[in-house]
Amino acid sequence: MKEIIVSGMRSTGKLHLGHYLGVIQNWVQLQDKYDCYFFVADWHALTTKYDKTDELRQHILEVVMDWLACGIDPEKSTIYVQSLVPEIAELNIYLGMITPQNWVERDPTLKDMAKILKTKEGQNSQINYGLMGYPVLMSSDIMMFNAHCVPVGIDQVAHIEITRDIARRFNNLYGEYFNEAKPILNHCSLICGLDGNKMGKSFNNDIKISDTAEETSKKVMSAITDRSRLRKDDPGHPDECEVAFKYWTIFGSEDEIETVKCECEKGLRGCAQCKRQLGDKINSTMAEFRQRRKYYEEHPEEVERIIEEGSAKARARAQEVLKEVRKLIKMY
Ligand code: TRP
Ligand code: SF4
Protein backbone atom coordinates (compact mmCIF):
# COMPACT_ATOMS: atom_id res chain seq x y z
CA MET A 1 0.00 0.00 0.00
CA LYS A 2 1.31 3.41 -1.01
CA GLU A 3 1.37 6.21 1.53
CA ILE A 4 -1.20 8.96 1.07
CA ILE A 5 -0.52 12.54 0.04
CA VAL A 6 -3.02 15.37 0.21
CA SER A 7 -2.38 18.90 -0.97
CA GLY A 8 -4.35 21.79 -2.36
CA MET A 9 -4.32 25.34 -3.62
CA ARG A 10 -6.88 28.06 -3.26
CA SER A 11 -8.81 28.92 -6.40
CA THR A 12 -7.29 32.32 -6.99
CA GLY A 13 -7.01 32.09 -10.79
CA LYS A 14 -4.09 31.51 -13.13
CA LEU A 15 -0.96 30.17 -11.46
CA HIS A 16 2.59 31.44 -11.95
CA LEU A 17 6.12 30.06 -11.96
CA GLY A 18 6.33 30.52 -8.19
CA HIS A 19 3.51 27.99 -7.78
CA TYR A 20 5.17 25.64 -10.23
CA LEU A 21 8.67 25.73 -8.78
CA GLY A 22 7.54 25.97 -5.15
CA VAL A 23 4.87 23.29 -5.13
CA ILE A 24 3.55 21.75 -8.36
CA GLN A 25 6.92 20.47 -9.58
CA ASN A 26 7.14 18.57 -6.32
CA TRP A 27 3.66 17.13 -6.75
CA VAL A 28 4.52 15.90 -10.24
CA GLN A 29 7.48 13.98 -8.89
CA LEU A 30 5.54 12.49 -5.98
CA GLN A 31 2.76 11.09 -8.18
CA ASP A 32 4.44 7.74 -8.82
CA LYS A 33 5.48 6.97 -5.27
CA TYR A 34 2.34 8.02 -3.40
CA ASP A 35 -1.41 7.78 -3.60
CA CYS A 36 -1.99 11.49 -4.32
CA TYR A 37 -5.06 13.65 -3.72
CA PHE A 38 -4.77 17.15 -5.18
CA PHE A 39 -7.66 19.55 -4.78
CA VAL A 40 -8.79 23.09 -5.44
CA ALA A 41 -9.63 24.72 -2.11
CA ASP A 42 -12.68 26.75 -3.11
CA TRP A 43 -13.96 26.96 0.48
CA HIS A 44 -10.62 28.37 1.55
CA ALA A 45 -10.92 30.93 -1.24
CA LEU A 46 -14.26 31.96 0.26
CA THR A 47 -12.67 32.75 3.64
CA THR A 48 -11.46 36.02 2.14
CA LYS A 49 -13.31 36.27 -1.21
CA TYR A 50 -16.87 35.42 -0.12
CA ASP A 51 -18.03 38.63 -1.78
CA LYS A 52 -16.35 37.94 -5.13
CA THR A 53 -17.81 34.71 -6.40
CA ASP A 54 -18.55 35.61 -10.03
CA GLU A 55 -15.22 34.23 -11.18
CA LEU A 56 -14.97 31.34 -8.74
CA ARG A 57 -15.88 28.66 -11.26
CA GLN A 58 -13.52 30.01 -13.93
CA HIS A 59 -10.72 30.25 -11.36
CA ILE A 60 -11.18 26.60 -10.43
CA LEU A 61 -10.92 25.57 -14.07
CA GLU A 62 -7.80 27.72 -14.60
CA VAL A 63 -6.06 26.16 -11.60
CA VAL A 64 -6.83 22.63 -12.77
CA MET A 65 -5.71 23.42 -16.34
CA ASP A 66 -2.43 24.79 -15.00
CA TRP A 67 -1.88 21.61 -12.97
CA LEU A 68 -2.60 19.42 -15.98
CA ALA A 69 -0.29 21.59 -18.09
CA CYS A 70 2.53 21.13 -15.58
CA GLY A 71 2.17 17.35 -15.64
CA ILE A 72 -0.28 16.40 -12.91
CA ASP A 73 -1.70 13.23 -14.40
CA PRO A 74 -5.34 12.36 -13.70
CA GLU A 75 -4.51 8.69 -14.37
CA LYS A 76 -2.13 8.70 -11.43
CA SER A 77 -3.54 11.30 -9.04
CA THR A 78 -7.03 12.13 -7.81
CA ILE A 79 -7.88 15.70 -8.80
CA TYR A 80 -10.97 17.19 -7.14
CA VAL A 81 -12.73 20.29 -5.90
CA GLN A 82 -13.03 20.66 -2.13
CA SER A 83 -16.69 21.68 -2.08
CA LEU A 84 -17.63 18.65 -4.18
CA VAL A 85 -16.59 16.51 -1.20
CA PRO A 86 -19.03 17.76 1.45
CA GLU A 87 -17.82 15.08 3.87
CA ILE A 88 -14.94 17.48 4.54
CA ALA A 89 -17.43 19.95 6.02
CA GLU A 90 -18.77 17.33 8.42
CA LEU A 91 -15.29 16.37 9.53
CA ASN A 92 -14.61 20.09 9.97
CA ILE A 93 -17.42 20.24 12.54
CA TYR A 94 -15.97 17.39 14.60
CA LEU A 95 -12.45 18.80 14.45
CA GLY A 96 -13.72 22.26 15.38
CA MET A 97 -15.15 20.82 18.60
CA ILE A 98 -11.78 19.51 19.76
CA THR A 99 -9.63 22.48 18.71
CA PRO A 100 -8.94 24.98 21.50
CA GLN A 101 -9.52 28.56 20.40
CA ASN A 102 -5.97 29.63 21.25
CA TRP A 103 -4.50 27.08 18.80
CA VAL A 104 -6.03 28.94 15.87
CA GLU A 105 -5.36 32.36 17.38
CA ARG A 106 -1.69 31.42 17.66
CA ASP A 107 -1.36 30.40 14.00
CA PRO A 108 1.26 32.81 12.57
CA THR A 109 0.12 32.36 8.95
CA LEU A 110 -3.41 33.29 9.95
CA LYS A 111 -2.11 36.33 11.80
CA ASP A 112 -0.32 37.43 8.62
CA MET A 113 -3.46 36.92 6.54
CA ALA A 114 -5.46 38.97 9.02
CA LYS A 115 -2.87 41.75 8.90
CA ILE A 116 -2.90 41.88 5.08
CA LEU A 117 -6.69 41.94 5.10
CA LYS A 118 -6.72 44.83 7.55
CA THR A 119 -4.35 46.96 5.47
CA LYS A 120 -6.27 46.15 2.28
CA GLU A 121 -9.79 46.67 3.54
CA GLY A 122 -9.18 49.34 6.15
CA GLN A 123 -9.15 49.39 9.92
CA ASN A 124 -12.73 48.38 10.56
CA SER A 125 -12.63 45.19 8.53
CA GLN A 126 -13.68 42.23 10.64
CA ILE A 127 -12.08 38.84 10.67
CA ASN A 128 -14.91 36.44 9.93
CA TYR A 129 -15.54 33.18 11.74
CA GLY A 130 -14.71 31.20 8.58
CA LEU A 131 -11.26 32.73 8.32
CA MET A 132 -10.57 31.89 11.96
CA GLY A 133 -11.41 28.32 11.04
CA TYR A 134 -8.88 28.26 8.17
CA PRO A 135 -6.40 25.89 9.87
CA VAL A 136 -9.18 23.60 11.12
CA LEU A 137 -10.65 23.35 7.63
CA MET A 138 -7.18 22.63 6.30
CA SER A 139 -6.82 19.90 8.91
CA SER A 140 -10.13 18.47 7.72
CA ASP A 141 -8.79 18.39 4.14
CA ILE A 142 -5.70 16.53 5.24
CA MET A 143 -7.32 14.16 7.71
CA MET A 144 -10.26 13.39 5.40
CA PHE A 145 -7.93 11.05 3.51
CA ASN A 146 -5.77 10.26 6.53
CA ALA A 147 -2.73 11.66 4.73
CA HIS A 148 0.80 10.71 5.72
CA CYS A 149 2.44 13.67 3.96
CA VAL A 150 1.49 17.13 2.71
CA PRO A 151 3.73 18.73 0.04
CA VAL A 152 3.40 22.52 0.41
CA GLY A 153 5.31 25.77 0.33
CA ILE A 154 7.10 26.88 3.47
CA ASP A 155 4.32 29.39 4.27
CA GLN A 156 1.88 26.53 4.98
CA VAL A 157 3.97 24.63 7.52
CA ALA A 158 2.47 26.37 10.56
CA HIS A 159 -0.99 25.19 9.52
CA ILE A 160 0.23 21.63 9.25
CA GLU A 161 1.64 21.84 12.78
CA ILE A 162 -1.90 22.54 13.96
CA THR A 163 -3.16 19.60 11.92
CA ARG A 164 -0.74 17.32 13.72
CA ASP A 165 -1.90 18.68 17.09
CA ILE A 166 -5.54 18.14 16.16
CA ALA A 167 -4.86 14.59 14.95
CA ARG A 168 -3.07 13.80 18.20
CA ARG A 169 -5.93 15.22 20.23
CA PHE A 170 -8.49 13.22 18.24
CA ASN A 171 -6.51 10.03 18.78
CA ASN A 172 -6.26 10.69 22.52
CA LEU A 173 -9.96 11.41 22.85
CA TYR A 174 -11.53 8.80 20.61
CA GLY A 175 -8.91 6.18 19.87
CA GLU A 176 -5.84 5.90 17.66
CA TYR A 177 -6.95 6.47 14.07
CA PHE A 178 -5.30 9.42 12.32
CA ASN A 179 -1.73 9.73 11.06
CA GLU A 180 0.18 12.84 12.06
CA ALA A 181 0.83 14.24 8.60
CA LYS A 182 4.29 15.57 7.84
CA PRO A 183 4.97 18.49 5.50
CA ILE A 184 7.18 17.85 2.45
CA LEU A 185 9.09 20.93 1.31
CA ASN A 186 10.60 21.59 -2.08
CA HIS A 187 14.37 21.90 -2.25
CA CYS A 188 14.30 24.30 -5.16
CA SER A 189 15.15 27.85 -4.07
CA LEU A 190 12.17 30.15 -4.09
CA ILE A 191 11.81 32.14 -7.31
CA CYS A 192 11.39 35.88 -6.84
CA GLY A 193 9.30 38.16 -9.03
CA LEU A 194 10.66 40.18 -11.98
CA ASP A 195 11.17 43.19 -9.69
CA GLY A 196 13.04 41.22 -7.02
CA ASN A 197 10.11 41.02 -4.57
CA LYS A 198 8.13 37.89 -3.79
CA MET A 199 6.41 36.64 -6.94
CA GLY A 200 2.69 37.26 -6.71
CA LYS A 201 -0.13 38.09 -9.03
CA SER A 202 -1.17 41.16 -7.05
CA PHE A 203 2.36 42.59 -7.42
CA ASN A 204 2.24 42.37 -11.20
CA ASN A 205 5.70 40.80 -11.25
CA ASP A 206 4.88 37.23 -12.16
CA ILE A 207 5.26 34.95 -15.16
CA LYS A 208 2.12 32.89 -15.58
CA ILE A 209 2.14 29.27 -16.63
CA SER A 210 -0.47 30.30 -19.21
CA ASP A 211 1.58 33.21 -20.62
CA THR A 212 2.59 32.83 -24.27
CA ALA A 213 6.23 32.59 -25.32
CA GLU A 214 6.07 36.21 -26.52
CA GLU A 215 4.59 37.46 -23.26
CA THR A 216 7.18 35.52 -21.30
CA SER A 217 10.10 36.90 -23.35
CA LYS A 218 8.79 40.42 -22.94
CA LYS A 219 8.39 40.02 -19.18
CA VAL A 220 11.89 38.56 -18.83
CA MET A 221 13.30 41.63 -20.61
CA SER A 222 11.88 43.73 -17.75
CA ALA A 223 13.66 41.71 -15.04
CA ILE A 224 16.07 43.71 -12.91
CA THR A 225 19.80 43.02 -13.33
CA ASP A 226 23.03 44.22 -11.75
CA ARG A 227 22.09 47.88 -11.20
CA SER A 228 25.69 49.09 -11.03
CA ARG A 229 26.21 48.17 -14.66
CA LEU A 230 25.81 51.09 -17.04
CA ARG A 231 27.35 49.88 -20.31
CA LYS A 232 27.19 46.44 -21.77
CA ASP A 233 30.99 45.95 -21.66
CA ASP A 234 31.23 46.99 -17.99
CA PRO A 235 32.23 43.98 -15.90
CA GLY A 236 29.06 42.67 -14.21
CA HIS A 237 28.37 41.03 -10.87
CA PRO A 238 26.09 38.01 -11.25
CA ASP A 239 25.70 37.80 -7.47
CA GLU A 240 24.17 41.25 -7.46
CA CYS A 241 22.02 40.49 -10.47
CA GLU A 242 19.12 39.57 -8.22
CA VAL A 243 16.59 38.43 -10.75
CA ALA A 244 18.04 37.61 -14.18
CA PHE A 245 21.01 35.63 -12.88
CA LYS A 246 18.85 33.95 -10.21
CA TYR A 247 16.56 32.76 -12.98
CA TRP A 248 19.57 31.41 -14.88
CA THR A 249 20.51 29.35 -11.84
CA ILE A 250 17.01 27.87 -11.83
CA PHE A 251 16.50 27.25 -15.53
CA GLY A 252 20.04 26.87 -16.94
CA SER A 253 22.29 23.81 -16.99
CA GLU A 254 25.48 23.94 -14.96
CA ASP A 255 27.49 24.76 -18.08
CA GLU A 256 25.15 27.52 -19.11
CA ILE A 257 25.25 29.08 -15.65
CA GLU A 258 29.05 28.99 -15.68
CA THR A 259 29.20 30.59 -19.14
CA VAL A 260 26.80 33.38 -18.20
CA LYS A 261 28.75 34.06 -15.01
CA CYS A 262 32.15 34.19 -16.76
CA GLU A 263 31.00 36.31 -19.67
CA CYS A 264 29.14 38.68 -17.39
CA GLU A 265 32.11 39.16 -15.07
CA LYS A 266 34.42 39.84 -18.02
CA GLY A 267 32.04 42.33 -19.59
CA LEU A 268 31.51 40.09 -22.62
CA ARG A 269 27.75 39.85 -22.25
CA GLY A 270 25.22 42.65 -22.37
CA CYS A 271 22.18 42.42 -20.14
CA ALA A 272 19.70 42.72 -23.01
CA GLN A 273 21.31 39.84 -24.87
CA CYS A 274 21.55 37.87 -21.64
CA LYS A 275 17.85 38.30 -20.89
CA ARG A 276 16.85 37.50 -24.46
CA GLN A 277 18.65 34.16 -24.10
CA LEU A 278 17.13 33.64 -20.68
CA GLY A 279 13.64 34.17 -22.11
CA ASP A 280 14.35 31.53 -24.77
CA LYS A 281 15.61 29.18 -22.09
CA ILE A 282 12.49 29.56 -19.94
CA ASN A 283 10.31 29.19 -23.01
CA SER A 284 11.96 25.92 -23.99
CA THR A 285 11.28 24.54 -20.49
CA MET A 286 7.66 25.61 -20.76
CA ALA A 287 6.95 24.57 -24.35
CA GLU A 288 5.58 21.23 -23.22
CA PHE A 289 3.34 22.88 -20.61
CA ARG A 290 1.92 25.27 -23.18
CA GLN A 291 1.12 22.47 -25.56
CA ARG A 292 -0.78 20.57 -22.90
CA ARG A 293 -2.56 23.68 -21.65
CA LYS A 294 -3.68 24.55 -25.16
CA TYR A 295 -5.16 21.09 -25.54
CA TYR A 296 -7.24 21.46 -22.35
CA GLU A 297 -8.29 25.02 -23.20
CA GLU A 298 -9.72 23.62 -26.40
CA HIS A 299 -11.36 20.72 -24.55
CA PRO A 300 -12.98 22.26 -21.45
CA GLU A 301 -15.42 19.34 -21.25
CA GLU A 302 -12.46 17.07 -20.60
CA VAL A 303 -11.29 19.26 -17.72
CA GLU A 304 -14.79 19.13 -16.26
CA ARG A 305 -14.86 15.37 -16.63
CA ILE A 306 -11.53 15.05 -14.82
CA ILE A 307 -12.88 17.18 -11.96
CA GLU A 308 -16.15 15.27 -11.75
CA GLU A 309 -14.55 11.83 -11.83
CA GLY A 310 -11.82 12.82 -9.40
CA SER A 311 -14.32 14.36 -7.01
CA ALA A 312 -16.56 11.27 -7.11
CA LYS A 313 -13.57 9.07 -6.36
CA ALA A 314 -12.39 11.32 -3.53
CA ARG A 315 -15.91 11.41 -2.14
CA ALA A 316 -16.22 7.63 -2.01
CA ARG A 317 -13.00 7.42 -0.02
CA ALA A 318 -14.05 10.30 2.25
CA GLN A 319 -17.29 8.50 3.07
CA GLU A 320 -15.33 5.48 4.27
CA VAL A 321 -13.18 7.61 6.55
CA LEU A 322 -16.18 9.54 7.84
CA LYS A 323 -17.97 6.32 8.74
CA GLU A 324 -15.01 5.30 10.91
CA VAL A 325 -14.82 8.75 12.46
CA ARG A 326 -18.52 8.75 13.35
CA LYS A 327 -18.11 5.32 14.90
CA LEU A 328 -15.11 6.42 16.95
CA ILE A 329 -16.86 9.55 18.26
CA LYS A 330 -19.97 7.40 18.92
CA MET A 331 -22.32 9.52 16.81
CA TYR A 332 -25.82 8.13 16.30
N1 TRP B 1 -3.86 26.95 2.43
C1 TRP B 1 -3.34 26.44 1.20
C2 TRP B 1 -2.89 27.62 0.33
O1 TRP B 1 -3.08 28.74 0.68
C3 TRP B 1 -4.35 25.62 0.44
C4 TRP B 1 -4.83 24.44 1.20
C5 TRP B 1 -6.07 24.27 1.73
C6 TRP B 1 -4.08 23.25 1.51
N2 TRP B 1 -6.17 23.06 2.34
C7 TRP B 1 -4.98 22.40 2.23
C8 TRP B 1 -2.78 22.82 1.25
C9 TRP B 1 -4.60 21.14 2.70
C10 TRP B 1 -2.39 21.56 1.73
C11 TRP B 1 -3.30 20.73 2.43
O2 TRP B 1 -2.38 27.42 -0.71
FE1 SF4 C 1 22.71 39.77 -15.02
FE2 SF4 C 1 23.18 38.69 -17.41
FE3 SF4 C 1 23.36 41.35 -17.05
FE4 SF4 C 1 25.16 39.72 -15.99
S1 SF4 C 1 24.77 40.03 -18.16
S2 SF4 C 1 24.17 41.45 -14.95
S3 SF4 C 1 23.93 37.94 -15.45
S4 SF4 C 1 21.52 40.09 -16.89
PDB file of all heavy atoms in Angstrom, residues 225-226 229 241 244-245 260 264 269-271 274, ligand 2:
ATOM      1  N   THR A 225      18.480  43.656 -13.197  1.00  0.00           N
ATOM      2  CA  THR A 225      19.802  43.024 -13.332  1.00  0.00           C
ATOM      3  C   THR A 225      20.751  43.732 -12.358  1.00  0.00           C
ATOM      4  O   THR A 225      20.297  44.433 -11.470  1.00  0.00           O
ATOM      5  CB  THR A 225      20.327  43.186 -14.774  1.00  0.00           C
ATOM      6  OG1 THR A 225      20.468  44.577 -15.051  1.00  0.00           O
ATOM      7  CG2 THR A 225      19.359  42.580 -15.791  1.00  0.00           C
ATOM      8  N   ASP A 226      22.030  43.532 -12.562  1.00  0.00           N
ATOM      9  CA  ASP A 226      23.033  44.219 -11.748  1.00  0.00           C
ATOM     10  C   ASP A 226      22.908  45.730 -12.004  1.00  0.00           C
ATOM     11  O   ASP A 226      23.255  46.222 -13.073  1.00  0.00           O
ATOM     12  CB  ASP A 226      24.422  43.701 -12.155  1.00  0.00           C
ATOM     13  CG  ASP A 226      25.537  44.468 -11.462  1.00  0.00           C
ATOM     14  OD1 ASP A 226      25.233  45.362 -10.651  1.00  0.00           O
ATOM     15  OD2 ASP A 226      26.710  44.158 -11.739  1.00  0.00           O
ATOM     16  N   ARG A 229      25.662  48.304 -13.317  1.00  0.00           N
ATOM     17  CA  ARG A 229      26.208  48.170 -14.664  1.00  0.00           C
ATOM     18  C   ARG A 229      25.579  49.191 -15.592  1.00  0.00           C
ATOM     19  O   ARG A 229      24.369  49.204 -15.782  1.00  0.00           O
ATOM     20  CB  ARG A 229      25.837  46.779 -15.152  1.00  0.00           C
ATOM     21  CG  ARG A 229      26.991  46.092 -15.766  1.00  0.00           C
ATOM     22  CD  ARG A 229      26.650  44.685 -16.116  1.00  0.00           C
ATOM     23  NE  ARG A 229      27.601  44.264 -17.101  1.00  0.00           N
ATOM     24  CZ  ARG A 229      27.358  43.363 -18.004  1.00  0.00           C
ATOM     25  NH1 ARG A 229      26.181  42.791 -18.068  1.00  0.00           N
ATOM     26  NH2 ARG A 229      28.301  43.036 -18.863  1.00  0.00           N
ATOM     27  N   CYS A 241      23.060  40.488  -9.448  1.00  0.00           N
ATOM     28  CA  CYS A 241      22.017  40.485 -10.466  1.00  0.00           C
ATOM     29  C   CYS A 241      20.881  39.625  -9.902  1.00  0.00           C
ATOM     30  O   CYS A 241      20.778  38.440 -10.179  1.00  0.00           O
ATOM     31  CB  CYS A 241      22.570  39.901 -11.756  1.00  0.00           C
ATOM     32  SG  CYS A 241      21.341  39.721 -13.047  1.00  0.00           S
ATOM     33  N   ALA A 244      17.674  38.306 -12.948  1.00  0.00           N
ATOM     34  CA  ALA A 244      18.044  37.611 -14.184  1.00  0.00           C
ATOM     35  C   ALA A 244      19.020  36.456 -13.894  1.00  0.00           C
ATOM     36  O   ALA A 244      18.808  35.322 -14.344  1.00  0.00           O
ATOM     37  CB  ALA A 244      18.639  38.584 -15.186  1.00  0.00           C
ATOM     38  N   PHE A 245      20.058  36.717 -13.125  1.00  0.00           N
ATOM     39  CA  PHE A 245      21.008  35.629 -12.880  1.00  0.00           C
ATOM     40  C   PHE A 245      20.394  34.541 -12.000  1.00  0.00           C
ATOM     41  O   PHE A 245      20.648  33.357 -12.213  1.00  0.00           O
ATOM     42  CB  PHE A 245      22.322  36.143 -12.270  1.00  0.00           C
ATOM     43  CG  PHE A 245      23.363  35.054 -12.204  1.00  0.00           C
ATOM     44  CD1 PHE A 245      23.941  34.554 -13.367  1.00  0.00           C
ATOM     45  CD2 PHE A 245      23.732  34.491 -10.983  1.00  0.00           C
ATOM     46  CE1 PHE A 245      24.868  33.504 -13.330  1.00  0.00           C
ATOM     47  CE2 PHE A 245      24.662  33.445 -10.932  1.00  0.00           C
ATOM     48  CZ  PHE A 245      25.228  32.964 -12.110  1.00  0.00           C
ATOM     49  N   VAL A 260      27.412  32.068 -18.459  1.00  0.00           N
ATOM     50  CA  VAL A 260      26.796  33.378 -18.201  1.00  0.00           C
ATOM     51  C   VAL A 260      27.621  34.139 -17.172  1.00  0.00           C
ATOM     52  O   VAL A 260      27.943  35.318 -17.339  1.00  0.00           O
ATOM     53  CB  VAL A 260      25.333  33.213 -17.704  1.00  0.00           C
ATOM     54  CG1 VAL A 260      24.762  34.548 -17.240  1.00  0.00           C
ATOM     55  CG2 VAL A 260      24.459  32.618 -18.794  1.00  0.00           C
ATOM     56  N   CYS A 264      29.650  37.493 -18.066  1.00  0.00           N
ATOM     57  CA  CYS A 264      29.136  38.683 -17.386  1.00  0.00           C
ATOM     58  C   CYS A 264      30.276  39.369 -16.638  1.00  0.00           C
ATOM     59  O   CYS A 264      30.480  40.576 -16.768  1.00  0.00           O
ATOM     60  CB  CYS A 264      28.008  38.288 -16.433  1.00  0.00           C
ATOM     61  SG  CYS A 264      27.394  39.630 -15.403  1.00  0.00           S
ATOM     62  N   ARG A 269      29.164  40.194 -22.059  1.00  0.00           N
ATOM     63  CA  ARG A 269      27.753  39.852 -22.254  1.00  0.00           C
ATOM     64  C   ARG A 269      26.899  41.031 -21.811  1.00  0.00           C
ATOM     65  O   ARG A 269      26.961  41.466 -20.678  1.00  0.00           O
ATOM     66  CB  ARG A 269      27.485  38.591 -21.414  1.00  0.00           C
ATOM     67  CG  ARG A 269      26.064  38.286 -21.037  1.00  0.00           C
ATOM     68  CD  ARG A 269      26.025  37.024 -20.204  1.00  0.00           C
ATOM     69  NE  ARG A 269      26.261  35.865 -21.053  1.00  0.00           N
ATOM     70  CZ  ARG A 269      25.309  35.124 -21.617  1.00  0.00           C
ATOM     71  NH1 ARG A 269      24.054  35.399 -21.397  1.00  0.00           N
ATOM     72  NH2 ARG A 269      25.599  34.103 -22.394  1.00  0.00           N
ATOM     73  N   GLY A 270      26.131  41.554 -22.737  1.00  0.00           N
ATOM     74  CA  GLY A 270      25.223  42.647 -22.375  1.00  0.00           C
ATOM     75  C   GLY A 270      23.974  42.094 -21.719  1.00  0.00           C
ATOM     76  O   GLY A 270      23.570  40.957 -21.975  1.00  0.00           O
ATOM     77  N   CYS A 271      23.363  42.904 -20.873  1.00  0.00           N
ATOM     78  CA  CYS A 271      22.183  42.422 -20.136  1.00  0.00           C
ATOM     79  C   CYS A 271      21.005  42.139 -21.070  1.00  0.00           C
ATOM     80  O   CYS A 271      20.249  41.200 -20.841  1.00  0.00           O
ATOM     81  CB  CYS A 271      21.774  43.429 -19.065  1.00  0.00           C
ATOM     82  SG  CYS A 271      22.963  43.517 -17.726  1.00  0.00           S
ATOM     83  N   CYS A 274      21.611  38.911 -22.677  1.00  0.00           N
ATOM     84  CA  CYS A 274      21.546  37.874 -21.644  1.00  0.00           C
ATOM     85  C   CYS A 274      20.092  37.524 -21.334  1.00  0.00           C
ATOM     86  O   CYS A 274      19.716  36.354 -21.234  1.00  0.00           O
ATOM     87  CB  CYS A 274      22.246  38.382 -20.393  1.00  0.00           C
ATOM     88  SG  CYS A 274      22.426  37.154 -19.105  1.00  0.00           S
TER      89      CYS A 274
HETATM   90 FE1  SF4 B   2      22.708  39.771 -15.018  1.00  0.00          FE
HETATM   91 FE2  SF4 B   2      23.176  38.693 -17.406  1.00  0.00          FE
HETATM   92 FE3  SF4 B   2      23.358  41.346 -17.047  1.00  0.00          FE
HETATM   93 FE4  SF4 B   2      25.159  39.724 -15.988  1.00  0.00          FE
HETATM   94  S1  SF4 B   2      24.773  40.029 -18.161  1.00  0.00           S
HETATM   95  S2  SF4 B   2      24.166  41.449 -14.949  1.00  0.00           S
HETATM   96  S3  SF4 B   2      23.928  37.940 -15.453  1.00  0.00           S
HETATM   97  S4  SF4 B   2      21.520  40.095 -16.894  1.00  0.00           S
END
